[in-house]
Amino acid sequence: MIYRFIDNQGTFRVKDPHKYNLYFPLTNRDGSLLSSISPNLSGDIKKDNEHFLMAPVSIEDLRSNLLCRREFFLKTGGRSLRLSCAYQDTLEAGLLYHKIIKRIGALEIEILTFIPYDCATEITRISVRNKGNKEIKITPTSFIPLYGRSEKCLRDHRHVSSLLNRVYLDTYGILLKPTMVFDEKGHKVNEVIYYALGFEGQKIAPVGQFPTLDYFFGESDVTAPDAIEKKVKPASKKLPEFDGKESCAAFRFKEKTLRKNDTAEYFLFIGIDTAQENIQNTFSRFDSPEKIQKSLEETKKYWLKHLSALEFDFKDKNYNNWLFWVKLQPTLRKLFGCSFLPHFDYGKGGRGWRDLWQDALTLLLTEAGPGARSFILNNFKGVRVDGSNATIITKDGEFISDRNRISRVWMDHGIWPYLTLRLYLNKTADIDILLEEDVYFQDHQLRRAREVNRDFHHQSYILHTKDGEVYRGSILEHILVQNLVQFFNVGRHNIIRLENADWNDGLDMAPDHGESVTFSFMYAHNLADLCGFLERLKEKVEKVNILAELTFLLDAAGNSTQYNDYSYKHKRLDEYLSRVKNVSGDKKEIILEDLIADLKAKSGHLFKWLREKEWLKEGFFNGYYDNKGNRVEGKTAGQNIRMLLPSQVFAIMSGGADSRQIKQAWTSIKKYLQDKQLGGFRLNTNFNSHHNLDLGRAFGFSYGDKENGAFFSHMVVMLANALYSRGFISEGFEAFDSIYKMALNDRGKIYPLIPEYFNNEGRGLYLYLTGSASWYIYTLLEEVLGIKFNFGNICLEPKLTRSSFISKEIRVKLSLRDNPVEVVFTREVSKDVYRVQDVYVGDKKQILSKNNRYILKREDLNNKENLIKVRLG
């Protein structure tokens, strides 16, 4: 690995970090300011897509665009030092701060950057120390280009929008407040202030500044600006020519002589606000070195406490520390969304539907109180009554149809809400949430984006009945809508339609005749698995009320023999979608026993169909049909093998594949998808196609990148989860361990984290914002360590191997209904796979249940301290 950990709290160091073109995220606890910073001080700072303080950056900007750097010049003698350049550098990063340590001749320089956990301002401290014997005279000047507008202005009226800029010079810095928000759909008065302030030592103000790029550069450029290289006098008051220009925070500090071991400190604050009074209050909070140091320590403590709700101790310093950062990743995605870091230059803020639900897996493992319940209830507001859903949720919890205003549907989106709800129910035993009522999302899209309602006019985006009343249905009804609709939404092969893509966004060109075997397996799983919770619900109620129109899809009694006929399903679905174009609001009473029988019939049919029709003689499952209706996987006419990893993962995870099929599929995965040199598992074999216009854009990508054959962390960790859950422990470990090995390998060239994927060279790309982190923690706790939640109880089924242990002990700390629980696994001998010998809760030995599991009752874990000891042998 390119870094080394220096403590037990995730802090790491990297020598010569400029070599790697990496970035590090900075934010506060509510994500009201979002930053990225690289070893050369590149990156950007923003509040949201409409408010960028620095210009938006993509990954290549980090090393090539000098106007996206938080530059700091030191003029010493006849030499000008740019602190963004590489010298003898070391990076130190922790929770959540970024520090560059430089040695330039006799000067030792530290550049510390962080965002206080409780404030929306980025603080930078530059410390300059003379380690030599001779005096050194320095003239310091900061240089931070200020963009101050929406992302779209980067390539749309960049210069014209700069004419709106108005700067105001403060004793300690600069305020940029454009007169208007430029938008040709309707210009608006601007209320936002982009600010940068600074001081030296004990609140010594800059002697002046160069507030515009023109004034700073003069007749030169960013590498040797006139403000640094010539005797340009800094401004102390505003000049008329400063308006309507690109602005910058270029503060000149007083010339200073450093004797041996003398240190000079400079502090910079940058942020976004709507009131000058707030900016002044922020400055007052941090206007001394002592206040800033105190805030830094408090910020470290906050993030450490935030991660303490779930702790792992494998007696392995590297693994323990690496897990700190993996645990943090779901929080970072909650705050950043799928945007706002340099690789993620396609987003406009907010999280995607799938991301929203999968990130909740870690949230539910760390907290399952009232906040988790309301979080789940709010998320179901994004479901449409046609079984589709809004695709983006904003930071404020509002739903948006599509980030790019495209009418489209991802066919797998109905899968994830149930899987998250399932974990919530098992963690809390809150079966009543199924009966809680919530609204539905409504917009211009009808019939799963096949029609557009041009008469749609109300702005609430909430489903109304034909009489204009807000309609509310139970959470159970929402789940049924998502899964029942999809059961009938099939193609010519009686497989659920691919529509505009599934989990693999790259399979986006088969909307007419594409079908997804892959996620048909998971819909079958959901229909069957839900029945277990309905059996528990029967203990409270015998009947439930659901939307009258939805009962038309509960047709198994007398009709299940017609499920082999795809045209029957088409007619049934078409009738339902016609009925819900204007919902009645009426509800019908359904006997739970009848509902369970219907879901089991549908699930049984779908599993049987998939298992028999889509198992290939090559020894793995076909997962897709393309837009011509052709089967995608298997042996081609040219004798090439086409195979996709997701097709096997979800057949296994769903329970659809039998043991024989799992064994053969694993053999095929090892043969066709495992890279013998890097050890990881690819998303697919090489289809040897420059494009595949009948399936998706993925196959136009270079092989080994993104959705075309990369080592996609999310799918690999789900492979591990699937194998573990079906009892294939050694196989599950091999898949699970491959992610950690690739992340630590020098070829990965990344900080401690799980990237979205590794490319052909083994390099990690798309950092921090990936659902694989949630699935990794979820799999580690529930499958590897076997600490499963079972309707409010804890069920112990560890699947630990010899390689899981560094010493003889593994410790896990978690919370159950706000009570701390510590589980200690100890081994007495070395074995390939361990089995539980005995379990104690405190001093009380637990009895093995009838199904060979240890079920620890919630009432026995209500103490202020709960110690569970598990002896393995």
Side-chain angles (χ1 to χ4, degrees):
M1 55 192 187
I2 66 171
Y3 54 85
R4 65 179 181 88
F5 291 110
I6 62 173
D7 60 18
N8 293 317
Q9 297 178 355
T11 311
F12 63 92
R13 285 185 176 170
V14 181
K15 285 188 176 181
D16 301 319
H18 292 72
K19 296 191 301 184
Y20 303 113
N21 197 35
L22 295 173
Y23 50 86
F24 187 81
L26 296 172
T27 188
N28 54 7
R29 64 185 171 191
D30 60 4
S32 54
L33 192 69
L34 303 165
S35 293
S36 61
I37 188 168
S38 69
N40 60 14
L41 309 181
S42 294
D44 56 26
I45 305 164
K46 58 271 166 186
K47 178 182 177 182
D48 52 41
N49 207 52
E50 300 302 315
H51 303 94
F52 275 78
L53 189 149
M54 296 177 69
V57 302
S58 189
I59 187 65
E60 288 304 326
D61 291 311
L62 295 184
R63 55 187 173 188
S64 61
N65 186 349
L66 300 183
L67 285 178
C68 70
R69 298 188 179 187
R70 303 160 176 83
E71 189 62 88
F72 200 87
F73 290 86
L74 287 178
K75 185 84 171 181
T76 171
R79 188 180 180 194
S80 296
L81 305 176
R82 288 173 45 222
L83 299 192
S84 70
C85 295
Y87 296 97
Q88 296 179 38
D89 290 2
T90 299
L91 162 72
E92 178 181 305
L95 301 168
L96 256 177
Y97 72 92
H98 181 277
K99 183 194 292 184
I100 294 292
I101 304 163
K102 293 177 174 287
R103 188 66 185 260
I104 311 173
L107 293 177
E108 184 178 84
I109 301 169
E110 285 189 2
I111 306 166
L112 168 77
T113 307
F114 75 102
I115 296 177
Y117 79 96
D118 57 352
C119 186
T121 192
E122 185 186 279
I123 299 175
T124 296
R125 180 182 70 199
I126 301 102
S127 301
V128 183
R129 186 180 185 188
N130 181 6
K131 298 284 286 184
N133 295 317
K134 297 181 180 179
E135 292 182 350
I136 300 176
K137 186 178 291 185
I138 61 171
T139 303
T141 309
S142 70
F143 174 61
I144 303 173
L146 301 179
Y147 177 73
R149 46 203 188 272
S150 168
E151 167 267 345
K152 61 178 175 283
C153 290
L154 191 66
R155 290 292 300 166
D156 184 3
H157 294 87
R158 171 76 187 258
H159 175 258
V160 170
S161 57
S162 74
L163 301 179
L164 303 172
N165 284 352
R166 299 294 186 271
V167 296
Y168 303 90
L169 274 56
D170 179 86
T171 302
Y172 290 96
I174 185 172
L175 308 180
L176 167 61
K177 187 178 182 182
T179 57
M180 299 169 66
V181 175
F182 186 92
D183 187 344
E184 290 184 297
K185 294 178 182 176
H187 308 301
K188 297 179 292 185
V189 174
N190 172 60
E191 303 291 345
V192 175
I193 303 170
Y194 303 88
Y195 68 88
L197 306 169
F199 65 84
E200 173 193 350
Q202 295 294 332
K203 204 178 177 181
I204 302 171
V207 297
Q209 56 181 301
F210 310 90
T212 70
L213 295 187
D214 283 351
Y215 194 49
F216 185 71
F217 292 158
E219 297 178 354
S220 187
D221 57 27
V222 67
T223 60
D226 285 358
I228 303 299
E229 301 302 333
K230 297 182 180 180
K231 294 183 179 180
V232 179
K233 185 178 179 180
S236 56
K237 63 179 181 180
K238 180 177 176 178
L239 301 177
E241 58 264 33
F242 293 163
D243 285 339
K245 301 289 197 308
E246 293 283 4
S247 308
C248 58
F251 307 150
R252 169 63 53 77
F253 295 97
K254 185 179 179 181
E255 185 181 88
K256 197 175 189 71
T257 299
L258 298 177
R259 297 183 177 87
K260 182 178 180 180
N261 290 325
D262 280 355
T263 299
E265 289 188 321
Y266 305 92
F267 301 92
L268 300 170
F269 308 82
I270 43 184
I272 304 169
D273 213 309
T274 55
Q276 196 165 343
E277 181 183 1
N278 294 341
I279 297 170
Q280 183 57 51
N281 291 338
T282 297
F283 184 67
S284 297
R285 278 191 60 189
F286 305 107
D287 61 1
S288 74
E290 294 77 18
K291 290 179 181 178
I292 290 172
Q293 184 61 35
K294 181 183 178 185
S295 177
L296 174 63
E297 297 305 321
E298 289 173 347
T299 297
K300 292 178 186 178
K301 289 179 182 177
Y302 169 80
W303 290 110
L304 197 62
K305 183 178 180 182
H306 176 77
L307 297 175
S308 67
L310 182 61
E311 296 184 37
F312 302 98
D313 183 5
F314 282 81
K315 308 303 178 184
D316 181 334
K317 181 178 180 180
N318 285 339
Y319 191 54
N320 287 351
N321 275 298
W322 183 76
L323 285 172
F324 268 105
W325 294 100
V326 178
K327 286 192 298 178
L328 182 63
Q329 285 183 242
T331 297
L332 291 173
R333 192 157 78 159
K334 177 182 177 183
L335 299 176
F336 280 81
C338 300
S339 315
F340 303 138
L341 287 179
H343 273 120
F344 301 84
D345 52 9
Y346 48 79
K348 295 180 173 64
R351 282 183 289 169
W353 179 259
R354 189 186 306 120
D355 314 321
L356 174 73
W357 290 100
Q358 294 192 91
D359 290 346
L361 293 174
T362 297
L363 172 68
L364 294 177
L365 293 175
T366 55
E367 54 179 282
R373 192 179 204 268
S374 61
F375 174 81
I376 285 178
L377 291 174
N378 183 72
N379 292 350
F380 273 106
K381 290 181 171 70
V383 176
R384 292 190 187 94
V385 74
D386 66 0
S388 66
N389 51 269
T391 62
I392 296 292
I393 184 171
T394 68
K395 196 176 292 184
D396 299 325
E398 299 296 321
F399 286 98
I400 298 173
S401 175
D402 187 275
R403 65 159 58 95
N404 294 313
R405 299 181 180 179
I406 301 171
S407 291
R408 54 183 171 177
V409 172
W410 279 263
M411 67 80 61
D412 67 304
H413 277 185
I415 296 295
W416 312 105
Y418 174 71
L419 295 182
T420 301
L421 178 66
R422 180 178 186 265
L423 176 59
Y424 172 82
L425 289 169
N426 276 325
K427 182 88 185 280
T428 65
D430 178 19
I431 197 70
D432 291 337
I433 197 173
L434 292 177
L435 303 179
E436 195 82 28
E437 292 196 337
D438 214 337
V439 298
Y440 285 86
F441 182 75
Q442 183 182 30
D443 61 357
H444 62 284
Q445 290 188 193
L446 295 172
R447 303 177 72 90
R448 299 185 66 84
R450 289 186 166 190
E451 289 184 15
V452 174
N453 180 5
R454 303 196 182 279
D455 297 324
F456 177 76
H457 59 276
H458 63 77
Q459 298 302 308
S460 67
Y461 294 98
I462 292 174
L463 177 66
H464 289 65
T465 68
K466 61 185 180 183
D467 297 325
E469 300 294 325
V470 171
Y471 178 74
R472 304 176 70 89
S474 67
I475 295 301
L476 172 60
E477 181 185 289
H478 283 68
I479 290 291
L480 290 173
V481 165
Q482 289 189 296
N483 289 272
L484 287 174
V485 166
Q486 286 295 73
F487 175 79
F488 291 92
N489 185 24
V490 296
R492 294 192 306 234
H493 300 90
N494 211 9
I495 306 297
I496 298 174
R497 294 179 56 240
L498 180 57
E499 297 177 301
N500 301 109
D502 62 10
W503 172 91
N504 189 335
D505 293 335
L507 306 184
D508 59 348
M509 299 177 73
D512 302 315
H513 302 295
E515 297 169 69
S516 174
V517 176
T518 302
F519 283 95
S520 295
F521 269 115
M522 288 307 293
Y523 280 108
H525 165 273
N526 284 6
L527 292 168
D529 196 79
L530 178 59
C531 294
F533 292 110
L534 295 181
E535 292 287 355
R536 290 188 179 274
L537 187 60
K538 274 172 53 183
E539 299 171 8
K540 290 197 168 190
V541 297
E542 292 183 1
K543 303 174 183 178
V544 292
N545 293 309
I546 64 172
L547 180 66
E549 289 89 331
L550 185 60
T551 62
F552 186 70
L553 300 182
L554 297 174
D555 66 331
N559 291 309
S560 61
T561 55
Q562 300 189 65
Y563 287 163
N564 291 342
D565 180 4
Y566 73 89
S567 63
Y568 167 79
K569 291 181 179 177
H570 283 184
K571 292 174 185 175
R572 204 82 184 177
L573 179 62
D574 187 64
E575 178 64 24
Y576 170 76
L577 294 178
S578 296
R579 293 183 183 189
V580 296
K581 287 174 72 170
N582 290 289
V583 297
S584 65
D586 297 334
K587 296 190 179 183
K588 283 189 177 180
E589 202 171 56
I590 300 295
I591 299 172
L592 278 175
E593 193 63 48
D594 294 342
L595 177 58
I596 292 169
D598 185 277
L599 299 184
K600 285 184 175 179
K602 287 178 166 63
S603 174
H605 155 77
L606 192 48
F607 269 138
K608 185 174 185 292
W609 185 273
L610 298 170
R611 193 183 294 120
E612 293 179 357
K613 302 288 186 181
E614 300 304 328
W615 178 254
L616 305 177
K617 61 184 179 183
E618 289 85 355
F620 54 87
F621 282 98
N622 169 59
Y624 295 95
Y625 289 88
D626 67 18
N627 210 36
K628 290 182 178 177
N630 294 324
R631 179 174 274 169
V632 170
E633 296 177 72
K635 187 175 289 186
T636 67
Q639 299 300 301
N640 293 319
I641 290 291
R642 289 186 171 183
M643 179 182 182
L644 289 105
L645 185 58
S647 311
Q648 320 316 315
V649 168
F650 294 107
I652 298 169
M653 182 184 289
S654 67
D658 59 34
S659 294
R660 177 188 61 83
Q661 289 170 328
I662 295 173
K663 290 176 183 177
Q664 290 187 43
W666 173 250
T667 299
S668 296
I669 289 169
K670 294 271 290 177
K671 181 177 180 180
Y672 299 118
L673 298 177
Q674 187 175 30
D675 187 279
K676 303 305 182 282
Q677 187 175 16
L678 298 173
F681 297 87
R682 294 185 180 275
L683 195 59
N684 54 270
T685 57
N686 192 345
F687 282 27
N688 293 304
S689 173
H690 294 301
H691 54 72
N692 190 330
L693 300 182
D694 295 315
L695 189 55
R697 66 177 188 245
F699 301 99
F701 298 156
S702 54
Y703 183 69
D705 282 295
K706 265 291 192 176
E707 290 97 344
N708 187 17
F711 304 89
F712 228 89
S713 301
H714 198 174
M715 192 50 60
V716 176
V717 75
M718 287 195 285
L719 169 65
N721 182 284
L723 290 166
Y724 273 123
S725 69
R726 298 297 301 276
F728 288 77
I729 298 174
S730 298
E731 295 83 351
F733 176 81
E734 185 174 354
F736 197 65
D737 191 48
S738 72
I739 298 171
Y740 181 58
K741 285 181 176 176
M742 291 192 76
L744 259 65
N745 195 300
D746 285 349
R747 294 184 181 187
K749 298 180 180 179
I750 53 174
Y751 299 151
L753 57 93
I754 297 179
E756 180 183 274
Y757 73 90
F758 299 91
N759 67 9
N760 269 341
E761 291 79 46
R763 179 162 196 163
L765 297 167
Y766 289 73
L767 313 181
Y768 295 105
L769 310 181
T770 165
S772 53
S774 277
W775 271 86
Y776 190 95
I777 297 300
Y778 173 61
T779 301
L780 179 61
L781 185 71
E782 287 228 338
E783 295 299 338
V784 180
L785 295 167
I787 303 174
K788 293 178 177 286
F789 299 102
N790 186 287
F791 211 66
N793 304 317
I794 286 181
C795 173
L796 288 174
E797 294 182 80
K799 295 161 187 170
L800 294 162
T801 67
R802 178 186 287 113
S803 300
S804 305
F805 284 89
I806 296 299
S807 68
K808 292 186 176 182
E809 183 180 276
I810 297 172
R811 289 178 174 264
V812 185
K813 293 181 180 179
L814 62 141
S815 176
L816 188 66
R817 294 180 309 282
D818 296 326
N819 295 316
V821 176
E822 183 173 13
V823 185
V824 181
F825 298 91
T826 57
R827 65 169 184 177
E828 296 182 351
V829 295
S830 180
K831 297 182 70 174
D832 289 338
V833 177
Y834 292 96
R835 297 188 181 278
V836 176
Q837 301 301 304
D838 51 50
V839 175
Y840 285 82
V841 175
D843 296 325
K844 183 180 178 182
K845 187 173 183 179
Q846 302 299 296
I847 306 300
L848 191 65
S849 66
K850 292 180 181 179
N851 53 4
N852 289 320
R853 298 189 300 175
Y854 285 93
I855 307 293
L856 311 182
K857 298 294 184 181
R858 50 187 160 180
E859 53 267 24
D860 294 331
L861 298 171
N862 278 330
N863 304 310
K864 291 183 177 179
E865 293 183 1
N866 298 280
L867 177 63
I868 302 170
K869 293 175 287 187
V870 183
R871 187 172 62 89
L872 304 171

